[in-house]
Amino acid sequence: PHFFTMIGGKVIRLGLLFFFFQAIFLRVDRIGQWTYDQVLLLFATFHVVDYIISITFQRNLAFQLPRLIQTGELDSRMVLPVNLLFLVSLERVDLIDFFSFLPSLGFLGYVLYRLQFAFSCTQAVLYVALLVNALVFLYAVVLIIATVSFWTTQSYGLARIFDNLLKIGRYPLDIFEGFLRVVFIYFLPLVLIAQIPSQALLRTLSPQYVLFAFGVTGVFLTFALGFWKIGLKNYLSAST
């Protein structure tokens, strides 16, 4: 019963957000440059990415890794014949979120049907590549947050702050102006998560933004891996 209740709750949350957008478009015909169907694509894309990180690395790094550091259990992982970062990133897979992810895929299919699959094979490949890029970007950010726990032994607060900021990515960034728009595009580029992949599929994305997306992710990942190595060097086992 707990399993099905959890899945049901996640599907209801997805449905409520869908009705939220419907309510908005009863009053307006577009948000910025985004039509109703385009906003649904953005919404579906965000939730596909969000569920994938929840299934895989987000909880492992943001919540499980600090506990391993606090208790000294990280020691036992360090001596195993496997890459430590790979192990702590993917040690546990969340099957509840996996089954909750399936309706999100179905919803994405429904949105593509509404759009009449009006995109080329090249656009579809670019869309998938930018989704992968978004996952790598989010992995880098979560890894940076988790690595802080080598000094603080806890990163729960930072992880929760980022998780709430992450939800902004499901809305068109056209709703922001001035300082906040600059922040969410250039400093904490949430635009990479769903907006840029969606624009690639909709043929409204310039080549410069494609290069920007991959370049920013490369910078974040390089910094995250370097920061992780520094964190490991500063790790003092709780068991010694």
Side-chain angles (χ1 to χ4, degrees):
H2 173 70
F3 175 78
F4 290 108
T5 302
M6 287 288 290
I7 292 177
K10 290 176 181 291
V11 172
I12 289 171
R13 184 175 63 185
L14 189 69
L16 289 174
L17 286 165
F18 171 68
F19 289 124
F20 167 74
F21 284 118
Q22 273 199 323
I24 290 176
F25 278 94
L26 288 173
R27 298 288 182 179
V28 299
D29 62 350
R30 61 182 59 236
I31 298 175
Q33 301 299 315
W34 295 77
T35 65
Y36 177 62
D37 288 337
Q38 290 173 342
V39 167
L40 289 186
L41 175 62
L42 175 70
F43 175 65
T45 300
F46 173 85
H47 280 279
V48 165
V49 172
D50 190 42
Y51 271 119
I52 291 175
I53 67 171
S54 295
I55 293 166
T56 53
F57 61 81
Q58 186 181 32
R59 292 189 180 95
N60 283 304
L61 287 176
F63 306 114
Q64 175 71 4
L65 177 60
R67 190 190 68 79
L68 295 177
I69 293 172
Q70 283 180 326
T71 61
E73 292 179 44
L74 187 62
D75 295 6
S76 61
R77 273 70 170 177
M78 295 178 74
V79 297
L80 294 176
V82 62
N83 182 275
L84 179 63
L85 183 55
F86 173 82
L87 180 62
V88 298
S89 299
L90 299 170
E91 186 170 5
R92 297 183 180 183
V93 175
D94 194 320
L95 288 179
I96 289 180
D97 272 346
F98 172 76
F99 285 101
S100 302
F101 168 65
L102 299 180
S104 294
L105 276 182
F107 182 68
L108 177 60
Y110 165 72
V111 173
L112 296 179
Y113 171 76
R114 286 183 60 96
L115 292 168
Q116 301 179 333
F117 299 95
F119 49 85
S120 66
C121 181
T122 302
Q123 290 169 293
V125 170
L126 182 59
Y127 174 73
V128 173
L130 287 167
L131 284 184
V132 173
N133 182 72
L135 292 170
V136 174
F137 165 72
L138 290 172
Y139 178 82
V141 175
V142 175
L143 179 59
I144 291 168
I145 292 171
T147 301
V148 171
S149 59
F150 281 112
W151 292 273
T152 64
T153 70
Q154 185 57 271
S155 60
Y156 181 86
L158 284 174
R160 282 300 179 197
I161 290 172
F162 177 70
D163 190 50
N164 286 307
L165 285 173
L166 180 64
K167 299 298 187 288
I168 294 171
R170 62 191 176 192
Y171 305 111
L173 290 187
D174 290 9
I175 65 177
F176 296 104
E177 293 182 354
F179 175 74
L180 285 177
R181 184 175 176 84
V182 172
V183 168
F184 294 135
I185 292 178
Y186 298 107
F187 294 98
L188 183 61
L190 301 181
V191 70
L192 270 61
I193 301 169
Q195 183 160 317
I196 285 182
S198 298
Q199 287 178 318
L201 203 61
L202 296 169
R203 289 179 291 184
T204 59
L205 184 68
S206 65
Q208 293 90 334
Y209 271 103
V210 175
L211 296 175
F212 169 77
F214 289 116
V216 168
T217 296
V219 170
F220 270 80
L221 184 61
T222 300
F223 177 80
L225 294 176
F227 191 45
W228 163 259
K229 291 178 181 178
I230 294 171
L232 276 181
K233 289 179 181 179
N234 285 272
Y235 172 61
L236 299 175
S237 171
S239 61
T240 57

